Amino acid sequence: MHELIEKRRSPRAYSTRPVEPEKLRELFEAARWAASCFNEQPWRFIYAAREDKENFNRLFDCLVEKNQLWVKNAPLLMLTVACGTFAHNGKPNRHAWHDVGLAMGNFTLQASALGLYVHQMAGFSSDKARENLGLPAGYDPVAMVTVGYLGDIGQLPESLRQAETAPRSRKALDELVHYGAWGTKSGLPA
Ligand SMILES: Cc1cc2nc3c(=O)[nH]c(=O)nc-3n(C[C@H](O)[C@H](O)[C@H](O)COP(=O)(O)O)c2cc1C
C-alpha cells in the first residue's frame, strides 16, 4: 500500500499549530482535481480557522457534543457541501455525495503528503449547518471535517484517549470484493 494511505488516520488530538494558508490551498487544489459525474464538481467547502473565533464557532456550534469534546482543539474546521442538481440539465445528481467523497479522498491524501491529518464527521446537525452557514437551496451538508497537525493525546478526556492508540481494523477483502456477481469469492491472491 502507498505510504500516504498507510499513515492516514483520523486523529482526535491536534496540535495548536495553525494550518499554513499555502498548505490549505494545496488541499483544496487536490480536492478540485477529483473526478466527478459529468465533471460537475458538486463539492463545496466552508471552513474557518480556530483563531477566527466568530466563524469557527458558527461551524463548531453545528457539531454534536461528543465531537465538540475534541474538535475544540482542532486548528481548522470545515463543512463539505454537495450540490444536488446537475447544472447541465437540472436533474437530480445521484452521485453528488459520491463525488464529494472523492474530493475528500484527494484532500485527505494531499494532507498526508504535507504531514497534516484530517478527521471527517457525520456527528453534526444538518439543519443547524444550513441555517448557521446560510446554505442556498439545492445544496446539502455532507460532513464536517477537522484538519491539523498531530498533538498530544494527553489533552483528550480519558474516554477518547484509548481510541487514539487502539489497533485499527478493517473487514477482510473477501467480505468486500466479489468476482463477476454478488456472493462469489473475489479470486484475489491471499
Ligand atoms: C463520513 C464519516 C463520518 C464520520 N463521523 C465521525 C464522527 O462523527 N465522529 C468521530 O469521532 N469520527 C467520525 N468518523 C471517523 C471514523 O470513525 C473513522 O474514519 C473510522 O473509525 C476509521 O478510522 P481511521 O479513519 O483512523 O482509519 C467519520 C468518518 C467518516 C468518513
Side-chain angles (χ1 to χ4, degrees), residues 170-184:
R170 288 299 187 265
K171 291 174 179 161
L173 272 185
D174 263 349
E175 199 182 323
L176 309 173
V177 186
H178 308 264
Y179 183 81
W182 187 269
T184 47

PDB file of all heavy atoms in Angstrom, residues 170-184:
ATOM      1  N   ARG A 170      -9.990  -3.484   9.820  1.00  0.00           N
ATOM      2  CA  ARG A 170     -10.779  -3.411   8.604  1.00  0.00           C
ATOM      3  C   ARG A 170     -11.386  -4.776   8.303  1.00  0.00           C
ATOM      4  O   ARG A 170     -10.837  -5.806   8.703  1.00  0.00           O
ATOM      5  CB  ARG A 170      -9.902  -2.991   7.412  1.00  0.00           C
ATOM      6  CG  ARG A 170      -9.453  -1.528   7.419  1.00  0.00           C
ATOM      7  CD  ARG A 170     -10.619  -0.577   7.379  1.00  0.00           C
ATOM      8  NE  ARG A 170     -10.239   0.821   7.215  1.00  0.00           N
ATOM      9  CZ  ARG A 170     -10.076   1.698   8.205  1.00  0.00           C
ATOM     10  NH1 ARG A 170     -10.214   1.316   9.459  1.00  0.00           N
ATOM     11  NH2 ARG A 170      -9.772   2.961   7.948  1.00  0.00           N
ATOM     12  N   LYS A 171     -12.522  -4.771   7.584  1.00  0.00           N
ATOM     13  CA  LYS A 171     -13.117  -6.026   7.129  1.00  0.00           C
ATOM     14  C   LYS A 171     -12.157  -6.721   6.166  1.00  0.00           C
ATOM     15  O   LYS A 171     -11.364  -6.048   5.489  1.00  0.00           O
ATOM     16  CB  LYS A 171     -14.433  -5.733   6.404  1.00  0.00           C
ATOM     17  CG  LYS A 171     -15.506  -5.241   7.348  1.00  0.00           C
ATOM     18  CD  LYS A 171     -16.749  -4.810   6.626  1.00  0.00           C
ATOM     19  CE  LYS A 171     -17.773  -4.353   7.659  1.00  0.00           C
ATOM     20  NZ  LYS A 171     -18.825  -3.515   7.110  1.00  0.00           N
ATOM     21  N   ALA A 172     -12.301  -8.031   6.069  1.00  0.00           N
ATOM     22  CA  ALA A 172     -11.440  -8.779   5.147  1.00  0.00           C
ATOM     23  C   ALA A 172     -11.862  -8.479   3.709  1.00  0.00           C
ATOM     24  O   ALA A 172     -13.046  -8.221   3.436  1.00  0.00           O
ATOM     25  CB  ALA A 172     -11.587 -10.271   5.424  1.00  0.00           C
ATOM     26  N   LEU A 173     -10.898  -8.514   2.791  1.00  0.00           N
ATOM     27  CA  LEU A 173     -11.199  -8.232   1.379  1.00  0.00           C
ATOM     28  C   LEU A 173     -12.298  -9.135   0.843  1.00  0.00           C
ATOM     29  O   LEU A 173     -13.138  -8.712   0.055  1.00  0.00           O
ATOM     30  CB  LEU A 173      -9.939  -8.411   0.534  1.00  0.00           C
ATOM     31  CG  LEU A 173      -9.031  -7.194   0.381  1.00  0.00           C
ATOM     32  CD1 LEU A 173      -7.907  -7.508  -0.588  1.00  0.00           C
ATOM     33  CD2 LEU A 173      -9.813  -5.968  -0.099  1.00  0.00           C
ATOM     34  N   ASP A 174     -12.303 -10.403   1.291  1.00  0.00           N
ATOM     35  CA  ASP A 174     -13.298 -11.363   0.789  1.00  0.00           C
ATOM     36  C   ASP A 174     -14.728 -10.960   1.125  1.00  0.00           C
ATOM     37  O   ASP A 174     -15.668 -11.354   0.449  1.00  0.00           O
ATOM     38  CB  ASP A 174     -13.009 -12.770   1.338  1.00  0.00           C
ATOM     39  CG  ASP A 174     -12.226 -13.580   0.311  1.00  0.00           C
ATOM     40  OD1 ASP A 174     -12.125 -13.112  -0.846  1.00  0.00           O
ATOM     41  OD2 ASP A 174     -11.722 -14.655   0.672  1.00  0.00           O
ATOM     42  N   GLU A 175     -14.874 -10.181   2.192  1.00  0.00           N
ATOM     43  CA  GLU A 175     -16.208  -9.724   2.567  1.00  0.00           C
ATOM     44  C   GLU A 175     -16.657  -8.551   1.687  1.00  0.00           C
ATOM     45  O   GLU A 175     -17.840  -8.253   1.557  1.00  0.00           O
ATOM     46  CB  GLU A 175     -16.166  -9.275   4.043  1.00  0.00           C
ATOM     47  CG  GLU A 175     -17.519  -9.205   4.704  1.00  0.00           C
ATOM     48  CD  GLU A 175     -17.418  -8.708   6.139  1.00  0.00           C
ATOM     49  OE1 GLU A 175     -16.435  -9.049   6.839  1.00  0.00           O
ATOM     50  OE2 GLU A 175     -18.307  -7.973   6.569  1.00  0.00           O
ATOM     51  N   LEU A 176     -15.677  -7.906   1.065  1.00  0.00           N
ATOM     52  CA  LEU A 176     -15.960  -6.662   0.337  1.00  0.00           C
ATOM     53  C   LEU A 176     -15.981  -6.823  -1.171  1.00  0.00           C
ATOM     54  O   LEU A 176     -16.652  -6.078  -1.882  1.00  0.00           O
ATOM     55  CB  LEU A 176     -14.883  -5.610   0.687  1.00  0.00           C
ATOM     56  CG  LEU A 176     -14.602  -5.368   2.163  1.00  0.00           C
ATOM     57  CD1 LEU A 176     -13.412  -4.429   2.345  1.00  0.00           C
ATOM     58  CD2 LEU A 176     -15.829  -4.772   2.847  1.00  0.00           C
ATOM     59  N   VAL A 177     -15.179  -7.777  -1.654  1.00  0.00           N
ATOM     60  CA  VAL A 177     -14.953  -7.880  -3.100  1.00  0.00           C
ATOM     61  C   VAL A 177     -15.520  -9.191  -3.629  1.00  0.00           C
ATOM     62  O   VAL A 177     -15.229 -10.261  -3.083  1.00  0.00           O
ATOM     63  CB  VAL A 177     -13.430  -7.832  -3.418  1.00  0.00           C
ATOM     64  CG1 VAL A 177     -13.194  -7.782  -4.914  1.00  0.00           C
ATOM     65  CG2 VAL A 177     -12.777  -6.647  -2.720  1.00  0.00           C
ATOM     66  N   HIS A 178     -16.346  -9.101  -4.652  1.00  0.00           N
ATOM     67  CA  HIS A 178     -16.916 -10.285  -5.291  1.00  0.00           C
ATOM     68  C   HIS A 178     -16.404 -10.332  -6.726  1.00  0.00           C
ATOM     69  O   HIS A 178     -16.109  -9.295  -7.320  1.00  0.00           O
ATOM     70  CB  HIS A 178     -18.441 -10.225  -5.298  1.00  0.00           C
ATOM     71  CG  HIS A 178     -19.032  -9.954  -3.954  1.00  0.00           C
ATOM     72  ND1 HIS A 178     -19.488 -10.939  -3.120  1.00  0.00           N
ATOM     73  CD2 HIS A 178     -19.217  -8.787  -3.281  1.00  0.00           C
ATOM     74  CE1 HIS A 178     -19.946 -10.396  -1.999  1.00  0.00           C
ATOM     75  NE2 HIS A 178     -19.782  -9.097  -2.072  1.00  0.00           N
ATOM     76  N   TYR A 179     -16.356 -11.508  -7.294  1.00  0.00           N
ATOM     77  CA  TYR A 179     -15.934 -11.613  -8.685  1.00  0.00           C
ATOM     78  C   TYR A 179     -17.135 -11.959  -9.565  1.00  0.00           C
ATOM     79  O   TYR A 179     -17.787 -12.982  -9.372  1.00  0.00           O
ATOM     80  CB  TYR A 179     -14.835 -12.669  -8.859  1.00  0.00           C
ATOM     81  CG  TYR A 179     -14.340 -12.729 -10.287  1.00  0.00           C
ATOM     82  CD1 TYR A 179     -13.404 -11.810 -10.749  1.00  0.00           C
ATOM     83  CD2 TYR A 179     -14.851 -13.660 -11.177  1.00  0.00           C
ATOM     84  CE1 TYR A 179     -12.977 -11.818 -12.056  1.00  0.00           C
ATOM     85  CE2 TYR A 179     -14.426 -13.677 -12.489  1.00  0.00           C
ATOM     86  CZ  TYR A 179     -13.490 -12.758 -12.929  1.00  0.00           C
ATOM     87  OH  TYR A 179     -13.083 -12.767 -14.231  1.00  0.00           O
ATOM     88  N   GLY A 180     -17.445 -11.118 -10.516  1.00  0.00           N
ATOM     89  CA  GLY A 180     -18.478 -11.435 -11.524  1.00  0.00           C
ATOM     90  C   GLY A 180     -19.898 -11.189 -11.056  1.00  0.00           C
ATOM     91  O   GLY A 180     -20.677 -10.584 -11.790  1.00  0.00           O
ATOM     92  N   ALA A 181     -20.267 -11.640  -9.903  1.00  0.00           N
ATOM     93  CA  ALA A 181     -21.625 -11.426  -9.385  1.00  0.00           C
ATOM     94  C   ALA A 181     -21.572 -11.473  -7.863  1.00  0.00           C
ATOM     95  O   ALA A 181     -20.622 -11.986  -7.279  1.00  0.00           O
ATOM     96  CB  ALA A 181     -22.575 -12.503  -9.914  1.00  0.00           C
ATOM     97  N   TRP A 182     -22.618 -10.954  -7.261  1.00  0.00           N
ATOM     98  CA  TRP A 182     -22.690 -10.900  -5.796  1.00  0.00           C
ATOM     99  C   TRP A 182     -22.557 -12.306  -5.213  1.00  0.00           C
ATOM    100  O   TRP A 182     -23.191 -13.241  -5.691  1.00  0.00           O
ATOM    101  CB  TRP A 182     -24.029 -10.281  -5.369  1.00  0.00           C
ATOM    102  CG  TRP A 182     -24.092 -10.048  -3.901  1.00  0.00           C
ATOM    103  CD1 TRP A 182     -24.570 -10.910  -2.962  1.00  0.00           C
ATOM    104  CD2 TRP A 182     -23.616  -8.910  -3.203  1.00  0.00           C
ATOM    105  NE1 TRP A 182     -24.421 -10.370  -1.717  1.00  0.00           N
ATOM    106  CE2 TRP A 182     -23.842  -9.136  -1.823  1.00  0.00           C
ATOM    107  CE3 TRP A 182     -23.012  -7.704  -3.600  1.00  0.00           C
ATOM    108  CZ2 TRP A 182     -23.500  -8.204  -0.853  1.00  0.00           C
ATOM    109  CZ3 TRP A 182     -22.669  -6.787  -2.625  1.00  0.00           C
ATOM    110  CH2 TRP A 182     -22.910  -7.032  -1.265  1.00  0.00           C
ATOM    111  N   GLY A 183     -21.723 -12.444  -4.231  1.00  0.00           N
ATOM    112  CA  GLY A 183     -21.663 -13.698  -3.483  1.00  0.00           C
ATOM    113  C   GLY A 183     -20.523 -14.608  -3.891  1.00  0.00           C
ATOM    114  O   GLY A 183     -20.190 -15.519  -3.150  1.00  0.00           O
ATOM    115  N   THR A 184     -19.927 -14.366  -5.069  1.00  0.00           N
ATOM    116  CA  THR A 184     -18.784 -15.217  -5.454  1.00  0.00           C
ATOM    117  C   THR A 184     -17.514 -14.658  -4.824  1.00  0.00           C
ATOM    118  O   THR A 184     -17.392 -13.453  -4.611  1.00  0.00           O
ATOM    119  CB  THR A 184     -18.591 -15.247  -6.988  1.00  0.00           C
ATOM    120  OG1 THR A 184     -18.648 -13.915  -7.470  1.00  0.00           O
ATOM    121  CG2 THR A 184     -19.621 -16.116  -7.659  1.00  0.00           C
TER     122      THR A 184
END
